[in-house]
Amino acid sequence: MRPVRSSVLCRLLPAPYSLALRSLVLVLLCITPHCQAVQAENVTVLEGGTAQISCRLQNYDGSIVVIQNPRRQTLFFNGTRALKDDRFQMVLFTQRLVRITLTNVSVSDEGGYFCQLYTDSTHHQVATLSVLVPPETPTVEVKQEAVEGGEAELTCVSPRSKPAATLRWMRKGREIAGVVSLQDNGKTFSVSSTIRIPVERKDDGAALSCEAFHPALNGQKRIRHYRLDVYFAPTVRIVPPAGILREGDSLTLTCSVTGNPLPRNTQWSKINDTLPERAEISGTTLQISRLSQSHNGTYLCQAQNDYGRAADHYTLLVYDNVSVTTMVPSTPTPTTPPITSHSTTPTLLPPTLALDPEDPGAVVETHSAVPYAVIGGVLALLVFTVICVLIVTIWCSVRQKGSYRTREPILAWY
């Protein structure tokens, strides 16, 4: 009995059979040592990488081997280059294996590569090349500005990937649900995810992130970090000086301003009057040297940005400088000049005033070391004690007189 030739077997297979099934049947039915067959392996590679396309031969006897691209252009004819594309290289040609490489792979290279073996009939297998396009780090687009009391609308965009990337918004470890949009660009996909979140002043600078997942990243992710930029009206606070201001002192007021955007300029003014001639403004600071009571009044600091304005005021009260000088006249002698001296007799001053030891003629304000509350308490206790003593004394006196009157009739009877 004559062996069945492979060409006859291939023609006996019905047309509806797929190429893979026909090849499998062909291999199973090839029971003679002269049966030849070819097998191909599918390949998946990242864009920009190198793909290896292999054709495995069975019982190869030197027949013609042809490799074609998805457009059915012949790349190699029995190991000889047929298409002038240096990205394709023949790296192996044996009786068992034919292998070519394709460098700098792009999505346009995708498709089926034909491994064809020409014998009495043509055998061929298709190696499917799949190209993965991992996403770049996504970008964040501001669709609506975040204003205090309103909403922020942010869109995370992954412009190119294959297959489509998966996007996820995160804040403080929690996912924020977004509206996903997918656009087919032919070979690749564009994906976006949009969120709307209410914002307050405290949310300014809050950290968010957009994460992109893709099979080509092997479990890793691409992350775009973003900080909320919340716009709000300014706040103004004047930092007052410490202590009491007297004539001759210097005044420094600092205007502390916040806001987003931060106001570029601050305005100093005096209510119902103009600023003193000696007033100097440097940035947010107002300085007035050699104060006098004519400088008394209310000073105003104002700031403004695109979202509102604010102001704060400070009322200045300058006190007098009180000084007392006493002179004791002396009788001059012919040989000595007149002598001027400060009186050694203590001068009666109010409790809060005293003489300055360095300048006996000056009177400065003093503060009692004993709190007024303690003094008042002691006085109240003394008054209470006196009243109690008076009450006890009166009571004892009245009782003694009553006892005397009771005994007087008894003495008279005796």
Side-chain angles (χ1 to χ4, degrees):
M1 181 176 180
R2 296 179 62 185
V4 180
R5 295 181 63 87
S6 59
S7 59
V8 176
L9 290 173
C10 291
R11 285 196 293 269
L12 290 176
L13 290 174
Y17 278 77
S18 66
L19 293 176
L21 182 58
R22 293 176 67 186
S23 299
L24 178 60
V25 173
L26 179 62
V27 172
L28 292 177
L29 293 179
C30 284
I31 57 177
T32 67
H34 300 288
C35 181
Q36 299 184 77
V38 62
Q39 294 178 334
E41 300 175 355
N42 294 334
V43 181
T44 300
V45 66
L46 295 182
E47 184 180 45
T50 300
Q52 291 187 347
I53 302 172
S54 301
C55 301
R56 298 187 180 277
L57 305 176
Q58 180 179 350
N59 299 325
Y60 179 65
D61 62 358
S63 300
I64 297 174
V65 177
V66 175
I67 300 178
Q68 294 180 330
N69 64 15
R71 292 179 291 277
R72 300 309 297 262
Q73 296 172 324
T74 301
L75 300 174
F76 292 94
F77 185 90
N78 255 15
T80 302
R81 181 187 299 276
L83 183 67
K84 293 182 179 180
D85 188 343
D86 293 338
R87 295 185 304 144
F88 291 95
Q89 296 292 330
M90 176 68 70
V91 295
L92 187 64
F93 194 111
T94 68
Q95 290 187 346
R96 291 179 178 270
L97 180 65
V98 176
R99 176 173 293 165
I100 66 173
T101 59
L102 171 60
T103 58
N104 194 22
V105 177
S106 67
V107 291
S108 62
D109 296 320
E110 271 193 331
Y113 286 78
F114 294 83
C115 296
Q116 297 188 142
L117 177 62
Y118 290 91
T119 58
D120 292 342
S121 63
T122 301
H123 307 285
H124 72 269
Q125 281 283 295
V126 178
T128 302
L129 174 63
S130 300
V131 179
L132 299 180
V133 181
E136 298 293 333
T137 301
T139 59
V140 174
E141 300 176 357
V142 179
K143 298 297 184 180
Q144 180 177 320
E145 290 184 343
V147 180
E148 181 181 17
E151 285 187 331
E153 183 176 349
L154 305 173
T155 298
C156 178
V157 179
S158 176
R160 187 173 181 271
S161 61
K162 180 181 178 297
T166 301
L167 300 180
R168 183 176 67 179
W169 279 100
M170 299 293 292
R171 181 179 182 182
K172 295 181 179 179
R174 295 183 179 181
E175 183 176 356
I176 304 175
V179 179
V180 178
S181 176
L182 180 63
Q183 181 178 347
D184 188 348
N185 299 324
K187 291 284 189 177
T188 61
F189 298 90
S190 175
V191 187
S192 64
S193 177
T194 302
I195 58 173
R196 294 179 64 93
I197 53 176
V199 290
E200 298 295 339
R201 182 174 305 200
K202 63 181 180 180
D203 296 317
D204 186 40
L208 292 91
S209 63
C210 177
E211 303 174 347
F213 298 86
H214 194 269
L217 297 179
N218 297 322
Q220 301 297 314
K221 53 190 176 183
R222 300 279 171 85
I223 304 177
R224 172 67 66 184
H225 297 283
Y226 179 80
R227 289 194 175 275
L228 277 175
D229 193 13
V230 181
Y231 298 103
F232 54 89
T235 58
V236 175
R237 185 178 68 88
I238 295 178
V239 181
I244 296 175
L245 296 173
R246 299 188 178 279
E247 291 184 331
D249 291 344
S250 294
L251 169 68
T252 300
L253 296 177
T254 301
C255 191
S256 176
V257 181
T258 62
N260 190 19
L262 189 67
R264 294 183 178 180
N265 299 313
T266 55
Q267 289 185 332
W268 283 99
S269 61
K270 186 177 181 181
I271 296 179
N272 298 328
D273 201 351
T274 58
L275 289 175
E277 293 182 359
R278 290 196 291 270
E280 295 182 359
I281 298 175
S282 177
T284 60
T285 301
L286 172 68
Q287 291 183 328
I288 304 176
S289 59
R290 302 193 305 277
L291 288 174
S292 66
Q293 291 190 349
S294 64
H295 296 147
N296 288 346
T298 301
Y299 292 82
L300 193 68
C301 177
Q302 301 179 77
Q304 180 178 358
N305 63 13
D306 296 336
Y307 301 91
R309 61 186 304 167
D312 192 17
H313 66 274
Y314 170 78
T315 301
L316 174 64
L317 182 59
V318 179
Y319 291 86
D320 290 333
N321 274 330
V322 181
S323 61
V324 176
T325 303
T326 58
M327 302 294 293
V328 177
S330 59
T331 304
T333 61
T335 58
T336 59
I339 300 176
T340 303
S341 65
H342 293 284
S343 173
T344 57
T345 303
T347 304
L348 295 178
L349 297 173
T352 59
L353 298 178
L355 294 175
D356 189 338
E358 296 181 359
D359 184 5
V363 177
V364 298
E365 183 178 5
T366 62
H367 299 277
S368 174
V370 181
Y372 291 110
V374 176
I375 296 174
V378 173
L379 292 177
L381 180 61
L382 291 176
V383 172
F384 177 76
T385 303
V386 171
I387 293 174
C388 291
V389 171
L390 290 176
I391 292 174
V392 172
T393 302
I394 294 173
W395 181 79
C396 292
S397 175
V398 171
R399 184 176 180 183
Q400 185 175 4
K401 289 182 179 180
S403 174
Y404 176 77
R405 291 177 180 177
T406 303
R407 292 176 181 176
E408 189 175 2
I410 298 176
L411 294 176
W413 184 78
Y414 282 106

